[in-house]
């Protein structure tokens, strides 16, 4: 009992200390990053401006190059693997600095400011913003950091109309030239399969990284609903789970799977390099996307190009990408203050509808990708923007 009481006292003391220190946390974090910020500032001061399309990409490990397709990259960094193939990373000689809002660096603001002062043109690829429901405490500080880059840009590429509306709502409407360019997909690499012919149930895919636990739980409930009618249904779950300690997340996940009686129907792939993604899509039939307010994920065009229709939370930028024929959206309450999870029963019914018409939906998905997201269009649009800025 004495040991338990001591542990309780220590726990209460730690919690009280966190509350007392919370107002000072931003200052403590800033102090901790001072050496890295100073080093980045010195490196950025080496920029040598040239008047041609020489692009420096601001990655999390600036001034190093972006990842290759054969290396690990996720989120906003994936598009840099495509761009760097056509416009190679150049440092210190550069005419343009290309930065993505969701690709962070401890000294991002310093690097952008230094590049701007040295005469480089700043191209910002603006993804989502921070808001209370998604980020929680401290969302204002993250937005302030993003807004600093937003206001210094010479050109802004919004990844969807939703991304543009979000930035205008939280950062303000800007007169900086801009354009909406969706994330691309290599349609020659990602190809449809015909595995669903003759099968009695679909293989569902919960793609990307599962940083929010609710996404996984909703998908499991959708699987359970689908199994009632299609007992051969399976679910593939990709990427990292929601806790830094992966084992803790897996224990929670397995407990949840057993609670719903679907443990034998679910497979986890873990993280994977980009060039392995096509193999995962080839094994699946339908993408289920349960994330709320997803701005513009690479996952969607990759799935569509692979012939996977999408059953999704009708929030964020997903409907813009999927359209009305390549999948089914489930309405959710719209808010910046709370997460709305799509109803699993409605999602399950949508999966049944798509599976009954899988050939029609699969063909529409592929057509959607080739019409709206081909990599060559993405490169062409960037070429035009870079040329205008340099000239």
């Amino acid at each position: 009992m004495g040991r338990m009481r001591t542990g309780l006292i220590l726990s209460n003391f730690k919690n009280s200390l966190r509350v007392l220190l919370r107002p000072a946390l931003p200052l403590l974090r800033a102090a901790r990053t001072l050496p890295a910020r100073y080093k980045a500032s010195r490196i950025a001061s080496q920029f040598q401006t040239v008047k041609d399309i020489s692009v420096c990409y601001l990655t999390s490990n600036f001034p190093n190059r972006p990842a290759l397709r054969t290396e690990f990259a996720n989120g906003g960094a994936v598009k840099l693997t495509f761009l760097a193939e056509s416009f190679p990373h150049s440092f210190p000689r550069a005419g343009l600095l290309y930065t993505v809002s969701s690709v962070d660096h401890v000294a991002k603001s310093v690097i952008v400011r230094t590049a701007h002062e040295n005469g480089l043109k700043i191209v910002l690829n603006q993804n989502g913003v921070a808001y209370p429901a998604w980020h929680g405490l401290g969302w204002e500080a993250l937005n302030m950091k993003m807004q600093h880059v937003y206001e210094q840009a010479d050109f802004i590429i919004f990844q969807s109309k939703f991304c543009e509306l979000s930035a205008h709502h939280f950062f303000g409407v800007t007169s900086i030239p801009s354009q909406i360019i969706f994330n691309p997909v290599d349609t020659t690499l990602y190809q449809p399969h015909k595995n669903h012919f003759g099968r009695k149930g679909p293989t569902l895919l919960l793609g990307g990284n599962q940083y929010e636990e609710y996404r996984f739980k909703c998908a499991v409930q959708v699987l359970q609903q689908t199994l009632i009618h299609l007992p051969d249904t399976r679910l593939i779950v990709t990427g990292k789970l929601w806790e830094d300690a992966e084992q803790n997340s897996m224990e929670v996940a397995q407990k949840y799977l057993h609670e719903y009686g679907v443990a034998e129907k679910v497979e986890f792939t873990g993280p994977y390099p980009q060039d392995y993604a096509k193999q995962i899509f080839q094994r699946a039939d339908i993408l289920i996307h349960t994330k709320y307010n997803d701005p513009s994920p690479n996952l969607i065009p990759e799935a569509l190009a692979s012939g996977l229709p999408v059953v999704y939370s009708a929030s964020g930028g997903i409907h813009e990408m999927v359209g009305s024929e390549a999948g089914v959206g489930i309405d959710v309450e719209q808010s910046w203050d709370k997460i709305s999870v799509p109803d699993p029963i409605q999602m399950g019914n949508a999966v049944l509808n798509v599976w009954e018409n899988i050939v029609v939906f699969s063909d529409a998905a592929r057509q959607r990708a080739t019409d709206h997201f081909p990599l060559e269009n993405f490169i062409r649009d960037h070429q035009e923007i870079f040329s205008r800025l340099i000239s």
Side-chain angles (χ1 to χ4, degrees):
M1 290 293 292
R3 187 176 297 173
M4 290 178 61
R5 181 177 175 83
T6 302
L8 182 62
I9 292 172
L10 285 172
S11 177
N12 290 337
F13 174 74
K14 289 178 181 177
N15 289 334
S16 300
L17 190 61
R18 287 193 190 98
V19 172
L20 289 172
L21 290 176
R22 185 173 292 163
L25 285 178
L27 292 174
L28 293 172
R29 292 193 190 101
R32 192 168 63 245
T33 61
L34 273 175
R37 290 168 61 84
Y38 175 70
K39 179 180 178 181
S41 177
R42 289 189 60 189
I43 293 173
S45 67
Q46 299 172 25
F47 273 124
Q48 300 171 23
T49 308
V50 294
K51 292 297 182 181
D52 59 28
I53 300 178
S54 299
V55 185
C56 176
Y57 300 96
L58 207 173
T59 62
S60 57
N61 60 344
F62 171 87
N64 296 332
R65 63 163 176 80
L68 304 175
R69 293 202 207 187
T70 54
E71 299 171 336
F72 283 93
N74 56 44
V78 171
K79 66 179 65 62
L80 300 184
T81 67
F82 296 126
L83 284 171
E85 289 177 350
S86 295
F87 310 101
H89 177 65
S90 181
F91 179 85
R93 291 172 56 81
L96 303 129
L97 180 72
Y98 195 98
T99 178
V100 182
S101 62
S102 56
V103 177
D104 201 14
H105 186 285
V106 67
K108 188 172 188 175
S109 298
V110 174
I111 296 167
V112 170
R113 184 179 69 246
T114 304
H116 193 269
E117 290 172 350
N118 283 9
L120 275 72
K121 298 295 184 181
I122 311 299
V123 180
L124 168 64
N125 191 298
Q126 177 64 40
N127 192 6
V129 298
Y131 54 92
W134 165 67
H135 189 275
L137 291 175
W139 66 270
E140 300 99 332
L142 180 56
N143 272 352
M144 190 178 300
K145 184 178 180 180
M146 285 195 285
Q147 186 171 356
H148 183 264
V149 178
Y150 179 82
E151 292 174 345
Q152 291 193 80
D154 293 288
F155 197 96
I156 301 174
I157 296 170
F158 294 105
Q159 293 182 27
S160 66
K161 185 67 176 176
F162 175 76
C163 293
E164 181 181 40
L165 293 173
S166 301
H168 288 176
H169 179 79
F170 286 96
F171 303 157
V173 177
T174 178
S175 59
I176 297 169
S178 65
Q179 184 175 339
I180 294 173
I181 303 179
F182 291 106
N183 288 335
V185 61
D186 186 342
T187 54
T188 62
L189 182 65
Y190 291 86
Q191 294 279 346
H193 65 79
K194 304 298 179 184
N195 296 343
H196 42 255
F197 287 150
R199 290 229 306 263
K200 296 181 180 179
T203 296
L204 308 179
L205 174 64
L206 181 68
N209 287 308
Q210 315 311 322
Y211 291 138
E212 297 94 359
E213 188 175 343
Y214 76 86
R215 296 167 61 180
F216 170 76
K217 288 187 173 181
C218 181
V220 170
Q221 294 175 45
V222 174
L223 172 63
Q224 185 198 46
Q225 292 296 320
T226 309
L227 284 168
I228 296 172
H229 304 280
L230 300 170
D232 291 331
T233 304
R234 299 189 63 81
L235 173 66
I236 298 174
V237 179
T238 68
K240 289 180 61 66
L241 300 181
W242 47 91
E243 289 189 32
D244 291 335
E246 193 80 0
Q247 184 60 35
N248 294 344
S249 299
M250 186 57 71
E251 289 175 2
V252 172
Q254 290 295 339
K255 181 178 179 181
Y256 200 71
L257 294 178
H258 283 92
E259 180 183 334
Y260 277 84
V262 297
E264 301 301 319
K265 298 288 187 177
V266 179
E267 172 192 346
F268 295 88
T269 71
Y272 54 87
Q274 188 185 347
D275 64 345
Y276 185 70
K278 62 178 181 179
Q279 300 178 42
I280 294 175
F281 288 116
Q282 288 284 325
R283 296 175 53 205
D285 301 295
I286 301 170
L287 178 73
I288 54 174
H289 197 64
T290 56
K291 183 177 178 179
Y292 179 66
N293 269 355
D294 206 349
S296 179
N298 301 293
L299 175 68
I300 300 299
E302 291 172 354
L304 294 174
S306 304
L308 271 63
V310 186
V311 175
Y312 60 95
S313 165
S315 59
I318 306 303
H319 180 68
E320 298 174 54
M321 306 179 78
V322 176
S324 57
E325 297 179 351
V328 179
I330 307 302
D331 289 334
V332 294
E333 182 182 349
Q334 303 296 315
S335 171
W336 297 112
D337 298 315
K338 67 177 183 178
I339 299 290
S340 294
V341 183
D343 179 51
I345 296 177
Q346 291 185 45
M347 289 200 86
N349 289 335
V351 168
L352 296 177
N353 176 38
V354 170
W355 182 245
E356 288 174 1
N357 303 279
I358 187 62
V359 175
V360 174
F361 274 103
S362 181
D363 289 345
R366 175 65 183 181
Q367 191 64 50
R368 184 78 180 173
T370 56
D371 286 348
H372 295 277
F373 311 114
L375 178 57
E376 53 269 26
N377 290 7
F378 182 79
I379 298 300
R380 180 203 63 205
D381 291 343
H382 278 78
Q383 173 77 47
E384 293 175 355
I385 292 167
F386 294 165
S387 296
R388 290 203 304 270
L389 287 173
I390 291 299
S391 63

PDB file of all heavy atoms in Angstrom, residues 154-176:
ATOM      1  N   ASP A 154       6.215  33.433 -53.219  1.00  0.00           N
ATOM      2  CA  ASP A 154       6.007  34.124 -54.493  1.00  0.00           C
ATOM      3  C   ASP A 154       4.920  33.434 -55.309  1.00  0.00           C
ATOM      4  O   ASP A 154       4.346  34.037 -56.215  1.00  0.00           O
ATOM      5  CB  ASP A 154       7.308  34.137 -55.298  1.00  0.00           C
ATOM      6  CG  ASP A 154       8.378  34.990 -54.621  1.00  0.00           C
ATOM      7  OD1 ASP A 154       8.239  36.226 -54.639  1.00  0.00           O
ATOM      8  OD2 ASP A 154       9.327  34.407 -54.071  1.00  0.00           O
ATOM      9  N   PHE A 155       4.667  32.158 -54.984  1.00  0.00           N
ATOM     10  CA  PHE A 155       3.597  31.422 -55.645  1.00  0.00           C
ATOM     11  C   PHE A 155       3.130  30.321 -54.694  1.00  0.00           C
ATOM     12  O   PHE A 155       3.947  29.683 -54.028  1.00  0.00           O
ATOM     13  CB  PHE A 155       4.079  30.803 -56.965  1.00  0.00           C
ATOM     14  CG  PHE A 155       2.958  30.395 -57.877  1.00  0.00           C
ATOM     15  CD1 PHE A 155       2.535  31.242 -58.899  1.00  0.00           C
ATOM     16  CD2 PHE A 155       2.300  29.186 -57.720  1.00  0.00           C
ATOM     17  CE1 PHE A 155       1.486  30.891 -59.737  1.00  0.00           C
ATOM     18  CE2 PHE A 155       1.253  28.820 -58.546  1.00  0.00           C
ATOM     19  CZ  PHE A 155       0.846  29.676 -59.559  1.00  0.00           C
ATOM     20  N   ILE A 156       1.797  30.104 -54.643  1.00  0.00           N
ATOM     21  CA  ILE A 156       1.234  29.076 -53.769  1.00  0.00           C
ATOM     22  C   ILE A 156       0.504  28.041 -54.617  1.00  0.00           C
ATOM     23  O   ILE A 156      -0.360  28.388 -55.429  1.00  0.00           O
ATOM     24  CB  ILE A 156       0.266  29.667 -52.733  1.00  0.00           C
ATOM     25  CG1 ILE A 156       0.980  30.699 -51.854  1.00  0.00           C
ATOM     26  CG2 ILE A 156      -0.339  28.555 -51.864  1.00  0.00           C
ATOM     27  CD1 ILE A 156       0.057  31.445 -50.903  1.00  0.00           C
ATOM     28  N   ILE A 157       0.868  26.790 -54.413  1.00  0.00           N
ATOM     29  CA  ILE A 157       0.146  25.669 -55.037  1.00  0.00           C
ATOM     30  C   ILE A 157      -0.719  25.036 -53.957  1.00  0.00           C
ATOM     31  O   ILE A 157      -0.199  24.514 -52.960  1.00  0.00           O
ATOM     32  CB  ILE A 157       1.130  24.637 -55.612  1.00  0.00           C
ATOM     33  CG1 ILE A 157       1.942  25.265 -56.745  1.00  0.00           C
ATOM     34  CG2 ILE A 157       0.384  23.398 -56.101  1.00  0.00           C
ATOM     35  CD1 ILE A 157       3.099  24.394 -57.213  1.00  0.00           C
ATOM     36  N   PHE A 158      -2.028  25.108 -54.119  1.00  0.00           N
ATOM     37  CA  PHE A 158      -2.942  24.464 -53.187  1.00  0.00           C
ATOM     38  C   PHE A 158      -3.226  23.046 -53.680  1.00  0.00           C
ATOM     39  O   PHE A 158      -3.508  22.839 -54.866  1.00  0.00           O
ATOM     40  CB  PHE A 158      -4.254  25.244 -53.069  1.00  0.00           C
ATOM     41  CG  PHE A 158      -4.103  26.603 -52.444  1.00  0.00           C
ATOM     42  CD1 PHE A 158      -4.159  27.751 -53.219  1.00  0.00           C
ATOM     43  CD2 PHE A 158      -3.888  26.725 -51.084  1.00  0.00           C
ATOM     44  CE1 PHE A 158      -4.011  29.008 -52.650  1.00  0.00           C
ATOM     45  CE2 PHE A 158      -3.739  27.988 -50.499  1.00  0.00           C
ATOM     46  CZ  PHE A 158      -3.806  29.123 -51.279  1.00  0.00           C
ATOM     47  N   GLN A 159      -3.169  22.074 -52.787  1.00  0.00           N
ATOM     48  CA  GLN A 159      -3.323  20.683 -53.192  1.00  0.00           C
ATOM     49  C   GLN A 159      -4.778  20.288 -53.458  1.00  0.00           C
ATOM     50  O   GLN A 159      -5.036  19.199 -53.979  1.00  0.00           O
ATOM     51  CB  GLN A 159      -2.716  19.760 -52.137  1.00  0.00           C
ATOM     52  CG  GLN A 159      -1.211  19.895 -52.043  1.00  0.00           C
ATOM     53  CD  GLN A 159      -0.602  18.945 -51.042  1.00  0.00           C
ATOM     54  OE1 GLN A 159      -1.135  17.886 -50.753  1.00  0.00           O
ATOM     55  NE2 GLN A 159       0.544  19.324 -50.501  1.00  0.00           N
ATOM     56  N   SER A 160      -5.718  21.130 -53.083  1.00  0.00           N
ATOM     57  CA  SER A 160      -7.136  20.912 -53.380  1.00  0.00           C
ATOM     58  C   SER A 160      -7.868  22.213 -53.080  1.00  0.00           C
ATOM     59  O   SER A 160      -7.307  23.139 -52.470  1.00  0.00           O
ATOM     60  CB  SER A 160      -7.712  19.774 -52.529  1.00  0.00           C
ATOM     61  OG  SER A 160      -7.732  20.136 -51.154  1.00  0.00           O
ATOM     62  N   LYS A 161      -9.111  22.282 -53.496  1.00  0.00           N
ATOM     63  CA  LYS A 161      -9.926  23.450 -53.170  1.00  0.00           C
ATOM     64  C   LYS A 161     -10.099  23.569 -51.659  1.00  0.00           C
ATOM     65  O   LYS A 161     -10.097  24.669 -51.101  1.00  0.00           O
ATOM     66  CB  LYS A 161     -11.297  23.335 -53.853  1.00  0.00           C
ATOM     67  CG  LYS A 161     -12.182  24.556 -53.664  1.00  0.00           C
ATOM     68  CD  LYS A 161     -11.622  25.782 -54.373  1.00  0.00           C
ATOM     69  CE  LYS A 161     -12.550  26.983 -54.261  1.00  0.00           C
ATOM     70  NZ  LYS A 161     -11.948  28.204 -54.862  1.00  0.00           N
ATOM     71  N   PHE A 162     -10.224  22.415 -50.994  1.00  0.00           N
ATOM     72  CA  PHE A 162     -10.335  22.404 -49.535  1.00  0.00           C
ATOM     73  C   PHE A 162      -9.091  23.013 -48.895  1.00  0.00           C
ATOM     74  O   PHE A 162      -9.183  23.744 -47.902  1.00  0.00           O
ATOM     75  CB  PHE A 162     -10.554  20.983 -49.027  1.00  0.00           C
ATOM     76  CG  PHE A 162     -10.563  20.863 -47.533  1.00  0.00           C
ATOM     77  CD1 PHE A 162     -11.663  21.264 -46.795  1.00  0.00           C
ATOM     78  CD2 PHE A 162      -9.457  20.364 -46.850  1.00  0.00           C
ATOM     79  CE1 PHE A 162     -11.664  21.167 -45.407  1.00  0.00           C
ATOM     80  CE2 PHE A 162      -9.453  20.255 -45.473  1.00  0.00           C
ATOM     81  CZ  PHE A 162     -10.565  20.662 -44.748  1.00  0.00           C
ATOM     82  N   CYS A 163      -7.911  22.709 -49.437  1.00  0.00           N
ATOM     83  CA  CYS A 163      -6.669  23.289 -48.909  1.00  0.00           C
ATOM     84  C   CYS A 163      -6.687  24.810 -49.044  1.00  0.00           C
ATOM     85  O   CYS A 163      -6.245  25.528 -48.147  1.00  0.00           O
ATOM     86  CB  CYS A 163      -5.465  22.709 -49.632  1.00  0.00           C
ATOM     87  SG  CYS A 163      -5.186  20.956 -49.320  1.00  0.00           S
ATOM     88  N   GLU A 164      -7.190  25.286 -50.176  1.00  0.00           N
ATOM     89  CA  GLU A 164      -7.272  26.730 -50.404  1.00  0.00           C
ATOM     90  C   GLU A 164      -8.238  27.381 -49.421  1.00  0.00           C
ATOM     91  O   GLU A 164      -7.915  28.401 -48.792  1.00  0.00           O
ATOM     92  CB  GLU A 164      -7.714  26.993 -51.838  1.00  0.00           C
ATOM     93  CG  GLU A 164      -7.794  28.488 -52.182  1.00  0.00           C
ATOM     94  CD  GLU A 164      -8.257  28.714 -53.616  1.00  0.00           C
ATOM     95  OE1 GLU A 164      -9.155  27.991 -54.068  1.00  0.00           O
ATOM     96  OE2 GLU A 164      -7.712  29.629 -54.262  1.00  0.00           O
ATOM     97  N   LEU A 165      -9.412  26.789 -49.254  1.00  0.00           N
ATOM     98  CA  LEU A 165     -10.418  27.344 -48.332  1.00  0.00           C
ATOM     99  C   LEU A 165      -9.896  27.326 -46.895  1.00  0.00           C
ATOM    100  O   LEU A 165     -10.129  28.273 -46.134  1.00  0.00           O
ATOM    101  CB  LEU A 165     -11.717  26.547 -48.439  1.00  0.00           C
ATOM    102  CG  LEU A 165     -12.476  26.667 -49.766  1.00  0.00           C
ATOM    103  CD1 LEU A 165     -13.660  25.699 -49.803  1.00  0.00           C
ATOM    104  CD2 LEU A 165     -12.962  28.091 -49.977  1.00  0.00           C
ATOM    105  N   SER A 166      -9.201  26.255 -46.515  1.00  0.00           N
ATOM    106  CA  SER A 166      -8.656  26.157 -45.158  1.00  0.00           C
ATOM    107  C   SER A 166      -7.625  27.248 -44.901  1.00  0.00           C
ATOM    108  O   SER A 166      -7.634  27.894 -43.844  1.00  0.00           O
ATOM    109  CB  SER A 166      -8.009  24.782 -44.950  1.00  0.00           C
ATOM    110  OG  SER A 166      -8.932  23.749 -45.157  1.00  0.00           O
ATOM    111  N   ALA A 167      -6.719  27.449 -45.868  1.00  0.00           N
ATOM    112  CA  ALA A 167      -5.696  28.482 -45.705  1.00  0.00           C
ATOM    113  C   ALA A 167      -6.321  29.865 -45.636  1.00  0.00           C
ATOM    114  O   ALA A 167      -5.915  30.705 -44.818  1.00  0.00           O
ATOM    115  CB  ALA A 167      -4.696  28.406 -46.858  1.00  0.00           C
ATOM    116  N   HIS A 168      -7.312  30.125 -46.476  1.00  0.00           N
ATOM    117  CA  HIS A 168      -7.984  31.423 -46.438  1.00  0.00           C
ATOM    118  C   HIS A 168      -8.693  31.639 -45.105  1.00  0.00           C
ATOM    119  O   HIS A 168      -8.714  32.751 -44.578  1.00  0.00           O
ATOM    120  CB  HIS A 168      -8.988  31.525 -47.587  1.00  0.00           C
ATOM    121  CG  HIS A 168      -8.342  31.676 -48.928  1.00  0.00           C
ATOM    122  ND1 HIS A 168      -9.047  31.702 -50.109  1.00  0.00           N
ATOM    123  CD2 HIS A 168      -7.027  31.833 -49.273  1.00  0.00           C
ATOM    124  CE1 HIS A 168      -8.210  31.849 -51.121  1.00  0.00           C
ATOM    125  NE2 HIS A 168      -6.982  31.934 -50.639  1.00  0.00           N
ATOM    126  N   HIS A 169      -9.266  30.568 -44.561  1.00  0.00           N
ATOM    127  CA  HIS A 169      -9.992  30.678 -43.287  1.00  0.00           C
ATOM    128  C   HIS A 169      -9.055  30.996 -42.123  1.00  0.00           C
ATOM    129  O   HIS A 169      -9.360  31.848 -41.287  1.00  0.00           O
ATOM    130  CB  HIS A 169     -10.746  29.372 -43.009  1.00  0.00           C
ATOM    131  CG  HIS A 169     -11.508  29.372 -41.722  1.00  0.00           C
ATOM    132  ND1 HIS A 169     -12.738  29.992 -41.588  1.00  0.00           N
ATOM    133  CD2 HIS A 169     -11.218  28.852 -40.497  1.00  0.00           C
ATOM    134  CE1 HIS A 169     -13.174  29.839 -40.347  1.00  0.00           C
ATOM    135  NE2 HIS A 169     -12.264  29.156 -39.661  1.00  0.00           N
ATOM    136  N   PHE A 170      -7.899  30.311 -42.069  1.00  0.00           N
ATOM    137  CA  PHE A 170      -7.008  30.454 -40.915  1.00  0.00           C
ATOM    138  C   PHE A 170      -5.874  31.461 -41.132  1.00  0.00           C
ATOM    139  O   PHE A 170      -5.386  32.055 -40.172  1.00  0.00           O
ATOM    140  CB  PHE A 170      -6.421  29.093 -40.534  1.00  0.00           C
ATOM    141  CG  PHE A 170      -7.404  28.187 -39.845  1.00  0.00           C
ATOM    142  CD1 PHE A 170      -8.113  27.246 -40.566  1.00  0.00           C
ATOM    143  CD2 PHE A 170      -7.646  28.293 -38.487  1.00  0.00           C
ATOM    144  CE1 PHE A 170      -9.030  26.408 -39.946  1.00  0.00           C
ATOM    145  CE2 PHE A 170      -8.559  27.468 -37.844  1.00  0.00           C
ATOM    146  CZ  PHE A 170      -9.254  26.513 -38.583  1.00  0.00           C
ATOM    147  N   PHE A 171      -5.435  31.645 -42.391  1.00  0.00           N
ATOM    148  CA  PHE A 171      -4.330  32.560 -42.657  1.00  0.00           C
ATOM    149  C   PHE A 171      -4.786  33.865 -43.281  1.00  0.00           C
ATOM    150  O   PHE A 171      -4.048  34.846 -43.270  1.00  0.00           O
ATOM    151  CB  PHE A 171      -3.312  31.918 -43.619  1.00  0.00           C
ATOM    152  CG  PHE A 171      -2.736  30.614 -43.153  1.00  0.00           C
ATOM    153  CD1 PHE A 171      -2.201  29.720 -44.072  1.00  0.00           C
ATOM    154  CD2 PHE A 171      -2.715  30.271 -41.812  1.00  0.00           C
ATOM    155  CE1 PHE A 171      -1.660  28.512 -43.657  1.00  0.00           C
ATOM    156  CE2 PHE A 171      -2.186  29.066 -41.390  1.00  0.00           C
ATOM    157  CZ  PHE A 171      -1.656  28.181 -42.314  1.00  0.00           C
ATOM    158  N   GLY A 172      -5.974  33.863 -43.871  1.00  0.00           N
ATOM    159  CA  GLY A 172      -6.466  35.040 -44.564  1.00  0.00           C
ATOM    160  C   GLY A 172      -6.319  34.905 -46.072  1.00  0.00           C
ATOM    161  O   GLY A 172      -5.429  34.214 -46.565  1.00  0.00           O
ATOM    162  N   VAL A 173      -7.196  35.565 -46.800  1.00  0.00           N
ATOM    163  CA  VAL A 173      -7.124  35.569 -48.261  1.00  0.00           C
ATOM    164  C   VAL A 173      -5.891  36.352 -48.689  1.00  0.00           C
ATOM    165  O   VAL A 173      -5.577  37.394 -48.125  1.00  0.00           O
ATOM    166  CB  VAL A 173      -8.403  36.183 -48.862  1.00  0.00           C
ATOM    167  CG1 VAL A 173      -8.306  36.245 -50.385  1.00  0.00           C
ATOM    168  CG2 VAL A 173      -9.634  35.396 -48.427  1.00  0.00           C
ATOM    169  N   THR A 174      -5.187  35.818 -49.691  1.00  0.00           N
ATOM    170  CA  THR A 174      -3.939  36.441 -50.125  1.00  0.00           C
ATOM    171  C   THR A 174      -4.018  36.841 -51.599  1.00  0.00           C
ATOM    172  O   THR A 174      -4.764  36.244 -52.380  1.00  0.00           O
ATOM    173  CB  THR A 174      -2.756  35.477 -49.923  1.00  0.00           C
ATOM    174  OG1 THR A 174      -1.562  36.082 -50.403  1.00  0.00           O
ATOM    175  CG2 THR A 174      -2.987  34.168 -50.675  1.00  0.00           C
ATOM    176  N   SER A 175      -3.223  37.842 -51.964  1.00  0.00           N
ATOM    177  CA  SER A 175      -3.135  38.251 -53.368  1.00  0.00           C
ATOM    178  C   SER A 175      -1.973  37.571 -54.081  1.00  0.00           C
ATOM    179  O   SER A 175      -1.722  37.823 -55.258  1.00  0.00           O
ATOM    180  CB  SER A 175      -2.954  39.777 -53.452  1.00  0.00           C
ATOM    181  OG  SER A 175      -1.777  40.177 -52.762  1.00  0.00           O
ATOM    182  N   ILE A 176      -1.257  36.712 -53.361  1.00  0.00           N
ATOM    183  CA  ILE A 176      -0.138  35.982 -53.967  1.00  0.00           C
ATOM    184  C   ILE A 176      -0.685  35.062 -55.065  1.00  0.00           C
ATOM    185  O   ILE A 176      -1.702  34.389 -54.858  1.00  0.00           O
ATOM    186  CB  ILE A 176       0.601  35.146 -52.899  1.00  0.00           C
ATOM    187  CG1 ILE A 176       1.226  36.069 -51.843  1.00  0.00           C
ATOM    188  CG2 ILE A 176       1.673  34.258 -53.536  1.00  0.00           C
ATOM    189  CD1 ILE A 176       1.737  35.350 -50.618  1.00  0.00           C
TER     190      ILE A 176
END
